[in-house]
Amino acid sequence: MIEIRDLVHRYDGEAAVDGVTLTVDAGEWVLLAGPNGSGKTTLVRHCNGLLAPDAGTVRVDGVDPIEDPVVARTTVGMVFQSPRDQFVAATVGADVAFGPENLGLDRDEIDRRVADALAAVDLADRRDERIDALSGGEQARVAVAGALAMDPDYLVLDEPFAGLDWAARRSLLAHLDDLHAAETAVVLVTHDVRDVHERADRIVGLEDGRVAVEGPPDEALADLAAIDVRVPE
Amino acid sequence: MIAYAPGETVAHRLDPRSKVAFQFGLAIFAVAHATPRGLVASFALALLALAAARLSPLAALRAYWVVLAVLALGPLVAGLAFGPPWFRAAPALASLASVLRIVPIVLVSAAFVHTTPVRDVRAAIQWAVPGRTGRLLGVGVGMTIRFVPVVRGDVAASREAIRARGGDVRPFYERAGGIALGSVRRALRRADALSVALRARAFAYNPTLPALRFRPFDVVVVFGALVLAVSPLLPGLVP
C-alpha cells in the first residue's frame, strides 16, 4: 500500500501540496485528476522518493522512499509527461534495460525483464529499433516498458496521453488494462478523465494542492467539473 | 549528426575494444607517416572502416562539417602574412598536410559512433579504466554520446522556431542570440527532466554492463591495429 499522510510540499515557501492524505491499495486503479498547477505531479513524485516532504509522511509498503529509494523505485514505477525526456538510450531494448542494469541484476535476468516488459506493451519485435524512429504512441509504450522492467507493484503515469492521438491513447489504455488485470496498481494522473473514468476504482481530485474530491467514479464525476477537470458530457 | 544505428555489419559485430584499438593504431599511423603515400594509406584505411560500417563517406563528412571547417582554418591562418604578399603558399600547404592527417581519424570515429551502442562504449571504457575513475569516465562519455545529437536537435528546433515567424530577416547577431538562448533553455529543461528520470529508474554508477565478446575477427583487427601502432618503427612499411 502507498500511504501518504498530511503531506506538504513547498516551492519557494509556497505550498504545491498542502496537507494531502491518500492511500493506494495493491491492485487498485486510481485516477488523480486536477487542473494545471493543482499539485498532481508534485504529489506523485513523492511516491518513489523523487521529492522529500516538507511535512507529513509517505510510506510504500511500509518503507520510507527517502530512506530507501531503491526499494521505492523498484516498487513504484514512474512514467512521466513527455516520454522523450526519460529515454536514456538510443534503442528500445537498451532503454528498457537501463533500470534493471542499475539494480545490478545478472544479464540473463535483465534480458528476461526487458523481453517481458516489451511483450507487455506489444513491442517485443522492436527491441533493436531506434527510439526516435518510433511514433509518439510507441514511444509512450516504451516509457511504460521502462517502468515495468523494474518489476513494480504500482505504476504511476503522469499525463501519459499528452500529445497522443486517439488510436495511441486507446492502445496505451488497453495495455494498462492488461497490467491492472495482472494485479499491478495503476495511478493515472490526468486533467481529463474522459475515456478513463470507467476503469478507475476511485477518483481523487486535487485543487490548489488539497484533495477536493474523492470517491468512486459515479460519485466523484459531478464534483470534478467544478475544479476544472474535463468530464464526460 | 552521426549516432548509433542498429545493424549487422562487420563493424557492428566487432568488440568495441577492437574498434578503439584500431582508432588508436590509425591515429599513430596517420601522424607518423606524413608523406603523400602515408596520407593515401590513412584515407584508404578510413574508407575501409566506413565500408565495414556501411556508412557513406559523404554522410560522415557532412556530419562533422563543423570539425572540418575548424580544421580548414588552420592552413588559412598559417598562410597569412603581415605584409606583401599577405598570403604564403608554403606554410599553408604544410599546415594543410597536417590537417589532412586528422580527417581519416575523424572518419573512423564516425564509423565507431555509428556502430557502437553507448552501453558498449561505457563497458569498454570501464574495462580499460577500472575503478571509480572508469565509472565516472564511462558515465560521462556515455551521456555525451547519447545527448550531443539531442542538443543539436534542440538547436535546430530553436532555429526553425525563429524562421517560422519570419525571424530570418533579423540581423545575424540577433538570430544567433535567440538560437543560443533558446537552445540553452531547452538543454537545461531537458537536463532537469533527465535527472528526475534517471533517479526514478534507480540510476547507479555501477550498473550491470553488457558482456564484451572478443570474436576471432577481433583478433585480426587488433593485430592490424598493433601493426599500425608500431608502424613508425617499421620504416619499410610505407615507402
Side-chain angles (χ1 to χ4, degrees):
Chain A
M1 179 192 286
I2 299 176
E3 294 175 273
I4 298 169
R5 295 212 180 280
D6 303 319
L7 180 72
V8 177
H9 189 94
R10 298 186 190 92
Y11 294 113
D12 298 327
E14 196 168 326
V17 173
D18 193 3
V20 168
T21 294
L22 175 70
T23 58
V24 178
D25 290 325
E28 197 178 14
W29 183 309
V30 176
L31 274 186
L32 186 59
N36 290 346
S38 58
K40 308 183 297 290
T41 296
T42 300
L43 176 61
V44 295
R45 286 188 177 191
H46 283 270
C47 294
N48 70 350
L50 293 172
L51 292 175
D54 288 315
T57 58
V58 179
R59 296 286 181 271
V60 176
D61 291 344
V63 175
D64 182 342
I66 297 298
E67 283 180 9
D68 199 340
V70 173
V71 167
R73 285 162 198 174
T74 51
T75 310
V76 182
M78 288 280 292
V79 179
F80 298 95
Q81 290 180 46
S82 314
R84 199 179 283 270
D85 286 337
Q86 64 179 301
F87 297 134
V88 295
T91 59
V92 172
D95 191 80
V96 175
F98 178 77
E101 285 172 351
N102 288 331
L103 301 179
L105 302 174
D106 68 54
R107 183 49 53 189
D108 289 342
E109 173 65 8
I110 291 169
D111 287 344
R112 186 192 65 75
R113 284 194 182 201
V114 171
D116 289 351
L118 288 175
V121 295
D122 260 350
L123 288 172
D125 55 341
R126 315 293 289 274
R127 187 174 179 148
D128 293 326
E129 288 191 28
R130 285 189 64 82
I131 293 173
D132 51 18
L134 303 181
S135 68
E138 289 165 340
Q139 289 188 356
R141 279 151 55 195
V142 174
V144 172
L148 289 180
M150 299 293 271
D151 207 6
D153 297 323
Y154 306 85
L155 186 61
V156 179
L157 303 104
D158 188 357
E159 303 274 11
F161 304 121
L164 298 188
D165 62 21
W166 168 232
R169 283 167 68 103
R170 203 170 43 192
S171 162
L172 185 54
L173 274 172
H175 288 104
L176 294 180
D177 285 339
D178 292 344
L179 293 170
H180 183 238
E183 300 293 306
T184 303
V186 175
V187 178
L188 187 66
V189 175
T190 183
H191 62 274
D192 179 355
V193 300
R194 296 173 303 166
D195 313 330
V196 286
H197 68 281
E198 289 171 344
R199 293 169 159 83
D201 297 313
R202 193 153 49 98
I203 298 180
V204 177
L206 285 189
E207 186 183 35
D208 296 332
R210 295 191 178 94
V211 175
V213 179
E214 183 167 7
D218 51 348
E219 290 176 17
L221 277 181
D223 297 328
L224 284 177
I227 59 168
D228 289 334
V229 173
R230 290 194 76 173
V231 295
E233 291 175 7
Chain B
M1 186 72 192
I2 300 283
Y4 169 67
E8 289 295 323
T9 68
V10 174
H12 278 91
R13 287 195 292 271
L14 282 173
D15 187 295
R17 293 168 295 183
S18 313
K19 290 186 259 191
V20 170
F22 182 77
Q23 284 191 83
F24 271 112
L26 181 70
I28 292 169
F29 180 88
V31 170
H33 300 280
T35 60
R37 280 171 188 260
L39 199 59
V40 169
S42 298
F43 269 96
L45 288 167
L47 290 175
L48 191 67
L50 289 175
R54 287 212 195 126
L55 179 63
S56 147
L58 281 179
L61 289 172
R62 213 168 27 238
Y64 288 107
W65 73 268
V66 175
V67 176
L68 298 174
V70 170
L71 288 175
L73 287 176
L76 289 176
V77 172
L80 286 178
F82 293 105
W86 301 107
F87 191 85
R88 293 169 301 152
L93 284 174
S95 172
L96 181 65
S98 301
V99 162
L100 280 177
R101 281 183 277 169
I102 297 171
V103 178
I105 302 166
V106 171
L107 293 177
V108 172
S109 73
F112 178 80
V113 171
H114 181 66
T115 59
T116 315
V118 176
R119 291 185 307 158
D120 287 14
V121 176
R122 187 172 169 188
I125 289 170
Q126 291 189 209
W127 173 84
V129 187
R132 198 186 179 95
T133 312
R135 289 202 293 273
L136 283 172
L137 197 60
V139 170
V141 171
M143 290 286 174
T144 305
I145 293 176
R146 171 74 190 101
F147 285 100
V148 164
V150 176
V151 171
R152 282 185 58 130
D154 285 347
V155 173
S158 292
R159 192 186 297 132
E160 276 192 7
I162 286 173
R163 284 168 58 194
R165 286 182 288 161
D168 39 0
V169 298
R170 293 188 178 227
F172 171 75
Y173 68 87
E174 258 189 52
R175 278 181 287 143
I179 290 170
L181 274 178
S183 307
V184 168
R185 266 195 222 111
R186 279 168 191 258
L188 291 176
R189 201 167 52 225
R190 196 182 288 282
D192 282 346
L194 175 70
S195 147
V196 172
L198 288 175
R199 289 166 55 210
R201 293 165 78 186
F203 175 76
Y205 274 97
N206 199 19
T208 308
L209 290 169
L212 298 173
R213 288 193 192 88
F214 215 66
R215 297 185 174 92
F217 192 60
D218 285 295
V219 178
V220 177
V221 173
V222 170
F223 179 74
L226 276 174
V227 170
L228 291 172
V230 300
S231 65
L233 307 173
L234 308 170
L237 190 68
V238 181

